[in-house]
PDB file of all heavy atoms in Angstrom:
ATOM      1  N   ILE A  31     -12.481 -10.614  -3.536  1.00 95.00           N
ATOM      2  CA  ILE A  31     -12.563  -9.172  -3.289  1.00 95.00           C
ATOM      3  C   ILE A  31     -13.044  -8.430  -4.532  1.00 95.00           C
ATOM      4  O   ILE A  31     -13.761  -7.430  -4.436  1.00 95.00           O
ATOM      5  CB  ILE A  31     -11.191  -8.624  -2.808  1.00 95.00           C
ATOM      6  CG1 ILE A  31     -11.343  -7.181  -2.342  1.00 95.00           C
ATOM      7  CG2 ILE A  31     -10.125  -8.746  -3.872  1.00 95.00           C
ATOM      8  CD1 ILE A  31     -10.100  -6.614  -1.708  1.00 95.00           C
ATOM      9  N   GLU A  34     -16.838  -9.191  -4.795  1.00 95.00           N
ATOM     10  CA  GLU A  34     -17.600  -8.554  -3.715  1.00 95.00           C
ATOM     11  C   GLU A  34     -17.653  -7.040  -3.871  1.00 95.00           C
ATOM     12  O   GLU A  34     -18.700  -6.417  -3.678  1.00 95.00           O
ATOM     13  CB  GLU A  34     -16.991  -8.918  -2.359  1.00 95.00           C
ATOM     14  CG  GLU A  34     -17.203 -10.381  -1.992  1.00 95.00           C
ATOM     15  CD  GLU A  34     -16.375 -10.820  -0.789  1.00 95.00           C
ATOM     16  OE1 GLU A  34     -15.737  -9.947  -0.142  1.00 95.00           O
ATOM     17  OE2 GLU A  34     -16.354 -12.030  -0.509  1.00 95.00           O
ATOM     18  N   PHE A 189       5.317  -5.030  -0.703  1.00 98.00           N
ATOM     19  CA  PHE A 189       4.882  -5.010   0.701  1.00 98.00           C
ATOM     20  C   PHE A 189       5.971  -4.418   1.582  1.00 98.00           C
ATOM     21  O   PHE A 189       5.732  -3.531   2.397  1.00 98.00           O
ATOM     22  CB  PHE A 189       4.551  -6.441   1.153  1.00 98.00           C
ATOM     23  CG  PHE A 189       4.471  -6.622   2.644  1.00 98.00           C
ATOM     24  CD1 PHE A 189       3.321  -6.263   3.336  1.00 98.00           C
ATOM     25  CD2 PHE A 189       5.549  -7.141   3.356  1.00 98.00           C
ATOM     26  CE1 PHE A 189       3.253  -6.413   4.719  1.00 98.00           C
ATOM     27  CE2 PHE A 189       5.482  -7.290   4.734  1.00 98.00           C
ATOM     28  CZ  PHE A 189       4.332  -6.925   5.419  1.00 98.00           C
ATOM     29  N   ARG A 190       7.191  -4.894   1.379  1.00 96.00           N
ATOM     30  CA  ARG A 190       8.282  -4.548   2.289  1.00 96.00           C
ATOM     31  C   ARG A 190       8.820  -3.139   2.056  1.00 96.00           C
ATOM     32  O   ARG A 190       9.063  -2.391   3.000  1.00 96.00           O
ATOM     33  CB  ARG A 190       9.412  -5.570   2.086  1.00 96.00           C
ATOM     34  CG  ARG A 190      10.585  -5.408   3.011  1.00 96.00           C
ATOM     35  CD  ARG A 190      11.612  -6.530   2.801  1.00 96.00           C
ATOM     36  NE  ARG A 190      12.822  -6.280   3.565  1.00 96.00           N
ATOM     37  CZ  ARG A 190      13.011  -6.671   4.821  1.00 96.00           C
ATOM     38  NH1 ARG A 190      12.082  -7.350   5.441  1.00 96.00           N
ATOM     39  NH2 ARG A 190      14.137  -6.388   5.454  1.00 96.00           N
ATOM     40  N   LYS A 193       5.314  -0.445   0.581  1.00 97.00           N
ATOM     41  CA  LYS A 193       4.124  -0.406   1.455  1.00 97.00           C
ATOM     42  C   LYS A 193       2.847  -0.424   0.627  1.00 97.00           C
ATOM     43  O   LYS A 193       1.845   0.176   1.000  1.00 97.00           O
ATOM     44  CB  LYS A 193       4.160   0.818   2.378  1.00 97.00           C
ATOM     45  CG  LYS A 193       5.494   1.066   3.063  1.00 97.00           C
ATOM     46  CD  LYS A 193       5.974  -0.130   3.864  1.00 97.00           C
ATOM     47  CE  LYS A 193       7.345   0.149   4.499  1.00 97.00           C
ATOM     48  NZ  LYS A 193       7.869  -1.084   5.137  1.00 97.00           N
ATOM     49  N   LEU A 194       2.912  -1.113  -0.512  1.00 98.00           N
ATOM     50  CA  LEU A 194       1.766  -1.213  -1.409  1.00 98.00           C
ATOM     51  C   LEU A 194       1.253  -2.644  -1.473  1.00 98.00           C
ATOM     52  O   LEU A 194       2.037  -3.589  -1.490  1.00 98.00           O
ATOM     53  CB  LEU A 194       2.146  -0.790  -2.832  1.00 98.00           C
ATOM     54  CG  LEU A 194       2.338   0.694  -3.101  1.00 98.00           C
ATOM     55  CD1 LEU A 194       2.802   0.893  -4.541  1.00 98.00           C
ATOM     56  CD2 LEU A 194       1.055   1.463  -2.834  1.00 98.00           C
ATOM     57  N   VAL A 195      -0.073  -2.770  -1.522  1.00 98.00           N
ATOM     58  CA  VAL A 195      -0.711  -4.064  -1.739  1.00 98.00           C
ATOM     59  C   VAL A 195      -0.941  -4.216  -3.240  1.00 98.00           C
ATOM     60  O   VAL A 195      -1.730  -3.480  -3.833  1.00 98.00           O
ATOM     61  CB  VAL A 195      -2.055  -4.141  -0.992  1.00 98.00           C
ATOM     62  CG1 VAL A 195      -2.777  -5.445  -1.327  1.00 98.00           C
ATOM     63  CG2 VAL A 195      -1.844  -3.990   0.510  1.00 98.00           C
ATOM     64  N   GLY A 226      -4.829  -3.876  -7.212  1.00 96.00           N
ATOM     65  CA  GLY A 226      -4.698  -4.439  -5.873  1.00 96.00           C
ATOM     66  C   GLY A 226      -5.824  -5.375  -5.461  1.00 96.00           C
ATOM     67  O   GLY A 226      -6.076  -5.538  -4.272  1.00 96.00           O
ATOM     68  N   VAL A 228      -6.566  -8.411  -4.503  1.00 97.00           N
ATOM     69  CA  VAL A 228      -5.952  -9.678  -4.091  1.00 97.00           C
ATOM     70  C   VAL A 228      -6.552 -10.114  -2.758  1.00 97.00           C
ATOM     71  O   VAL A 228      -6.688  -9.322  -1.824  1.00 97.00           O
ATOM     72  CB  VAL A 228      -4.412  -9.525  -4.002  1.00 97.00           C
ATOM     73  CG1 VAL A 228      -3.997  -8.394  -3.074  1.00 97.00           C
ATOM     74  CG2 VAL A 228      -3.744 -10.825  -3.575  1.00 97.00           C
ATOM     75  N   ALA A 230      -6.674 -12.160   0.810  1.00 97.00           N
ATOM     76  CA  ALA A 230      -5.659 -12.293   1.856  1.00 97.00           C
ATOM     77  C   ALA A 230      -4.840 -13.568   1.685  1.00 97.00           C
ATOM     78  O   ALA A 230      -3.613 -13.552   1.858  1.00 97.00           O
ATOM     79  CB  ALA A 230      -6.321 -12.256   3.234  1.00 97.00           C
ATOM     80  N   PHE A 233      -2.252 -13.149  -0.992  1.00 98.00           N
ATOM     81  CA  PHE A 233      -1.226 -12.199  -0.554  1.00 98.00           C
ATOM     82  C   PHE A 233      -0.279 -12.851   0.445  1.00 98.00           C
ATOM     83  O   PHE A 233       0.947 -12.728   0.338  1.00 98.00           O
ATOM     84  CB  PHE A 233      -1.899 -10.978   0.068  1.00 98.00           C
ATOM     85  CG  PHE A 233      -0.977  -9.803   0.229  1.00 98.00           C
ATOM     86  CD1 PHE A 233      -0.604  -9.043  -0.882  1.00 98.00           C
ATOM     87  CD2 PHE A 233      -0.492  -9.438   1.461  1.00 98.00           C
ATOM     88  CE1 PHE A 233       0.241  -7.957  -0.750  1.00 98.00           C
ATOM     89  CE2 PHE A 233       0.361  -8.349   1.596  1.00 98.00           C
ATOM     90  CZ  PHE A 233       0.724  -7.615   0.502  1.00 98.00           C
ATOM     91  N   MET A 234      -0.854 -13.580   1.393  1.00 98.00           N
ATOM     92  CA  MET A 234      -0.012 -14.232   2.403  1.00 98.00           C
ATOM     93  C   MET A 234       0.872 -15.291   1.762  1.00 98.00           C
ATOM     94  O   MET A 234       2.037 -15.465   2.164  1.00 98.00           O
ATOM     95  CB  MET A 234      -0.899 -14.820   3.502  1.00 98.00           C
ATOM     96  CG  MET A 234      -1.568 -13.724   4.334  1.00 98.00           C
ATOM     97  SD  MET A 234      -2.375 -14.316   5.860  1.00 98.00           S
ATOM     98  CE  MET A 234      -3.815 -15.116   5.177  1.00 98.00           C
ATOM     99  N   LEU A 237       3.867 -13.541   0.507  1.00 97.00           N
ATOM    100  CA  LEU A 237       4.821 -13.127   1.551  1.00 97.00           C
ATOM    101  C   LEU A 237       5.640 -14.307   2.036  1.00 97.00           C
ATOM    102  O   LEU A 237       6.764 -14.137   2.514  1.00 97.00           O
ATOM    103  CB  LEU A 237       4.070 -12.485   2.730  1.00 97.00           C
ATOM    104  CG  LEU A 237       3.306 -11.194   2.431  1.00 97.00           C
ATOM    105  CD1 LEU A 237       2.773 -10.581   3.726  1.00 97.00           C
ATOM    106  CD2 LEU A 237       4.189 -10.171   1.704  1.00 97.00           C
ATOM    107  N   LYS A 238       5.093 -15.516   1.927  1.00 96.00           N
ATOM    108  CA  LYS A 238       5.803 -16.725   2.392  1.00 96.00           C
ATOM    109  C   LYS A 238       6.643 -17.372   1.292  1.00 96.00           C
ATOM    110  O   LYS A 238       7.383 -18.313   1.555  1.00 96.00           O
ATOM    111  CB  LYS A 238       4.789 -17.758   2.892  1.00 96.00           C
ATOM    112  CG  LYS A 238       4.066 -17.360   4.166  1.00 96.00           C
ATOM    113  CD  LYS A 238       3.018 -18.443   4.497  1.00 96.00           C
ATOM    114  CE  LYS A 238       2.044 -17.984   5.558  1.00 96.00           C
ATOM    115  NZ  LYS A 238       0.846 -18.862   5.615  1.00 96.00           N
TER     116      LYS A 238
ATOM    117  N   ILE B  37      12.024  -5.535  10.214  1.00 95.00           N
ATOM    118  CA  ILE B  37      12.160  -4.706   9.021  1.00 95.00           C
ATOM    119  C   ILE B  37      12.694  -3.329   9.376  1.00 95.00           C
ATOM    120  O   ILE B  37      13.442  -2.725   8.609  1.00 95.00           O
ATOM    121  CB  ILE B  37      10.802  -4.598   8.271  1.00 95.00           C
ATOM    122  CG1 ILE B  37      10.982  -3.913   6.922  1.00 95.00           C
ATOM    123  CG2 ILE B  37       9.760  -3.872   9.089  1.00 95.00           C
ATOM    124  CD1 ILE B  37       9.732  -3.914   6.048  1.00 95.00           C
ATOM    125  N   GLU B  40      16.446  -3.845  10.134  1.00 95.00           N
ATOM    126  CA  GLU B  40      17.218  -4.194   8.932  1.00 95.00           C
ATOM    127  C   GLU B  40      17.327  -3.023   7.961  1.00 95.00           C
ATOM    128  O   GLU B  40      18.393  -2.769   7.402  1.00 95.00           O
ATOM    129  CB  GLU B  40      16.562  -5.392   8.229  1.00 95.00           C
ATOM    130  CG  GLU B  40      16.723  -6.691   9.006  1.00 95.00           C
ATOM    131  CD  GLU B  40      15.848  -7.823   8.472  1.00 95.00           C
ATOM    132  OE1 GLU B  40      15.237  -7.640   7.384  1.00 95.00           O
ATOM    133  OE2 GLU B  40      15.777  -8.869   9.134  1.00 95.00           O
ATOM    134  N   PHE B 195      -5.574  -2.817   3.974  1.00 98.00           N
ATOM    135  CA  PHE B 195      -5.159  -3.818   2.978  1.00 98.00           C
ATOM    136  C   PHE B 195      -6.233  -3.980   1.915  1.00 98.00           C
ATOM    137  O   PHE B 195      -5.966  -3.944   0.713  1.00 98.00           O
ATOM    138  CB  PHE B 195      -4.910  -5.163   3.677  1.00 98.00           C
ATOM    139  CG  PHE B 195      -4.856  -6.348   2.745  1.00 98.00           C
ATOM    140  CD1 PHE B 195      -3.706  -6.614   2.024  1.00 98.00           C
ATOM    141  CD2 PHE B 195      -5.955  -7.183   2.588  1.00 98.00           C
ATOM    142  CE1 PHE B 195      -3.653  -7.701   1.154  1.00 98.00           C
ATOM    143  CE2 PHE B 195      -5.909  -8.267   1.720  1.00 98.00           C
ATOM    144  CZ  PHE B 195      -4.754  -8.525   1.007  1.00 98.00           C
ATOM    145  N   ARG B 196      -7.485  -4.123   2.379  1.00 96.00           N
ATOM    146  CA  ARG B 196      -8.577  -4.485   1.482  1.00 96.00           C
ATOM    147  C   ARG B 196      -9.045  -3.299   0.638  1.00 96.00           C
ATOM    148  O   ARG B 196      -9.273  -3.450  -0.569  1.00 96.00           O
ATOM    149  CB  ARG B 196      -9.737  -5.014   2.319  1.00 96.00           C
ATOM    150  CG  ARG B 196     -10.903  -5.525   1.521  1.00 96.00           C
ATOM    151  CD  ARG B 196     -11.969  -6.116   2.437  1.00 96.00           C
ATOM    152  NE  ARG B 196     -13.163  -6.440   1.693  1.00 96.00           N
ATOM    153  CZ  ARG B 196     -13.390  -7.569   1.058  1.00 96.00           C
ATOM    154  NH1 ARG B 196     -12.481  -8.510   1.067  1.00 96.00           N
ATOM    155  NH2 ARG B 196     -14.512  -7.763   0.400  1.00 96.00           N
ATOM    156  N   LYS B 199      -5.395  -0.499  -0.166  1.00 97.00           N
ATOM    157  CA  LYS B 199      -4.230  -1.136  -0.792  1.00 97.00           C
ATOM    158  C   LYS B 199      -2.927  -0.611  -0.184  1.00 97.00           C
ATOM    159  O   LYS B 199      -1.908  -0.477  -0.853  1.00 97.00           O
ATOM    160  CB  LYS B 199      -4.214  -0.936  -2.313  1.00 97.00           C
ATOM    161  CG  LYS B 199      -5.560  -1.161  -2.995  1.00 97.00           C
ATOM    162  CD  LYS B 199      -6.115  -2.551  -2.742  1.00 97.00           C
ATOM    163  CE  LYS B 199      -7.481  -2.737  -3.396  1.00 97.00           C
ATOM    164  NZ  LYS B 199      -8.078  -4.037  -2.997  1.00 97.00           N
ATOM    165  N   LEU B 200      -3.000  -0.293   1.116  1.00 98.00           N
ATOM    166  CA  LEU B 200      -1.847   0.223   1.836  1.00 98.00           C
ATOM    167  C   LEU B 200      -1.396  -0.767   2.903  1.00 98.00           C
ATOM    168  O   LEU B 200      -2.216  -1.387   3.573  1.00 98.00           O
ATOM    169  CB  LEU B 200      -2.196   1.539   2.536  1.00 98.00           C
ATOM    170  CG  LEU B 200      -2.321   2.779   1.668  1.00 98.00           C
ATOM    171  CD1 LEU B 200      -2.739   3.971   2.536  1.00 98.00           C
ATOM    172  CD2 LEU B 200      -1.013   3.080   0.959  1.00 98.00           C
ATOM    173  N   VAL B 201      -0.068  -0.871   3.049  1.00 98.00           N
ATOM    174  CA  VAL B 201       0.511  -1.657   4.129  1.00 98.00           C
ATOM    175  C   VAL B 201       0.752  -0.717   5.304  1.00 98.00           C
ATOM    176  O   VAL B 201       1.591   0.181   5.217  1.00 98.00           O
ATOM    177  CB  VAL B 201       1.836  -2.305   3.675  1.00 98.00           C
ATOM    178  CG1 VAL B 201       2.505  -3.011   4.844  1.00 98.00           C
ATOM    179  CG2 VAL B 201       1.594  -3.261   2.507  1.00 98.00           C
ATOM    180  N   GLY B 232       4.740   2.156   7.925  1.00 96.00           N
ATOM    181  CA  GLY B 232       4.549   0.818   7.390  1.00 96.00           C
ATOM    182  C   GLY B 232       5.640  -0.174   7.772  1.00 96.00           C
ATOM    183  O   GLY B 232       5.872  -1.132   7.054  1.00 96.00           O
ATOM    184  N   VAL B 234       6.238  -3.028   9.262  1.00 97.00           N
ATOM    185  CA  VAL B 234       5.563  -4.188   9.842  1.00 97.00           C
ATOM    186  C   VAL B 234       6.131  -5.464   9.226  1.00 97.00           C
ATOM    187  O   VAL B 234       6.283  -5.571   8.007  1.00 97.00           O
ATOM    188  CB  VAL B 234       4.034  -4.079   9.641  1.00 97.00           C
ATOM    189  CG1 VAL B 234       3.652  -3.906   8.180  1.00 97.00           C
ATOM    190  CG2 VAL B 234       3.312  -5.260  10.251  1.00 97.00           C
ATOM    191  N   ALA B 236       6.092  -9.431   8.138  1.00 97.00           N
ATOM    192  CA  ALA B 236       5.056 -10.223   7.471  1.00 97.00           C
ATOM    193  C   ALA B 236       4.187 -10.970   8.484  1.00 97.00           C
ATOM    194  O   ALA B 236       2.962 -11.031   8.342  1.00 97.00           O
ATOM    195  CB  ALA B 236       5.693 -11.203   6.480  1.00 97.00           C
ATOM    196  N   PHE B 239       1.678  -8.660  10.044  1.00 98.00           N
ATOM    197  CA  PHE B 239       0.677  -8.251   9.050  1.00 98.00           C
ATOM    198  C   PHE B 239      -0.315  -9.388   8.796  1.00 98.00           C
ATOM    199  O   PHE B 239      -1.534  -9.171   8.767  1.00 98.00           O
ATOM    200  CB  PHE B 239       1.388  -7.859   7.755  1.00 98.00           C
ATOM    201  CG  PHE B 239       0.517  -7.103   6.792  1.00 98.00           C
ATOM    202  CD1 PHE B 239       0.187  -5.775   7.032  1.00 98.00           C
ATOM    203  CD2 PHE B 239       0.015  -7.708   5.656  1.00 98.00           C
ATOM    204  CE1 PHE B 239      -0.621  -5.059   6.148  1.00 98.00           C
ATOM    205  CE2 PHE B 239      -0.797  -7.008   4.767  1.00 98.00           C
ATOM    206  CZ  PHE B 239      -1.102  -5.681   5.022  1.00 98.00           C
ATOM    207  N   MET B 240       0.201 -10.602   8.647  1.00 98.00           N
ATOM    208  CA  MET B 240      -0.676 -11.741   8.370  1.00 98.00           C
ATOM    209  C   MET B 240      -1.599 -11.993   9.560  1.00 98.00           C
ATOM    210  O   MET B 240      -2.770 -12.343   9.379  1.00 98.00           O
ATOM    211  CB  MET B 240       0.158 -12.973   8.022  1.00 98.00           C
ATOM    212  CG  MET B 240       0.865 -12.816   6.668  1.00 98.00           C
ATOM    213  SD  MET B 240       1.591 -14.356   6.029  1.00 98.00           S
ATOM    214  CE  MET B 240       3.021 -14.523   7.076  1.00 98.00           C
ATOM    215  N   LEU B 243      -4.493  -9.730   9.179  1.00 97.00           N
ATOM    216  CA  LEU B 243      -5.438 -10.135   8.129  1.00 97.00           C
ATOM    217  C   LEU B 243      -6.328 -11.288   8.600  1.00 97.00           C
ATOM    218  O   LEU B 243      -7.455 -11.444   8.129  1.00 97.00           O
ATOM    219  CB  LEU B 243      -4.686 -10.556   6.856  1.00 97.00           C
ATOM    220  CG  LEU B 243      -3.870  -9.470   6.154  1.00 97.00           C
ATOM    221  CD1 LEU B 243      -3.332 -10.002   4.827  1.00 97.00           C
ATOM    222  CD2 LEU B 243      -4.681  -8.203   5.919  1.00 97.00           C
ATOM    223  N   LYS B 244      -5.817 -12.090   9.535  1.00 96.00           N
ATOM    224  CA  LYS B 244      -6.594 -13.238  10.043  1.00 96.00           C
ATOM    225  C   LYS B 244      -7.435 -12.876  11.264  1.00 96.00           C
ATOM    226  O   LYS B 244      -8.234 -13.689  11.718  1.00 96.00           O
ATOM    227  CB  LYS B 244      -5.629 -14.360  10.436  1.00 96.00           C
ATOM    228  CG  LYS B 244      -4.924 -15.026   9.262  1.00 96.00           C
ATOM    229  CD  LYS B 244      -3.952 -16.075   9.811  1.00 96.00           C
ATOM    230  CE  LYS B 244      -2.960 -16.544   8.770  1.00 96.00           C
ATOM    231  NZ  LYS B 244      -1.812 -17.243   9.368  1.00 96.00           N
TER     232      LYS B 244
END
Side-chain angles (χ1 to χ4, degrees):
Chain A
I31 189 173
E34 290 169 8
F189 164 81
R190 184 176 173 88
K193 314 304 178 187
L194 286 176
V195 175
V228 56
F233 195 75
M234 291 191 286
L237 297 188
K238 292 176 193 165
Chain B
I37 188 173
E40 289 168 9
F195 164 80
R196 184 176 172 87
K199 315 302 178 187
L200 285 177
V201 174
V234 56
F239 195 74
M240 291 192 285
L243 296 187
K244 291 177 194 164

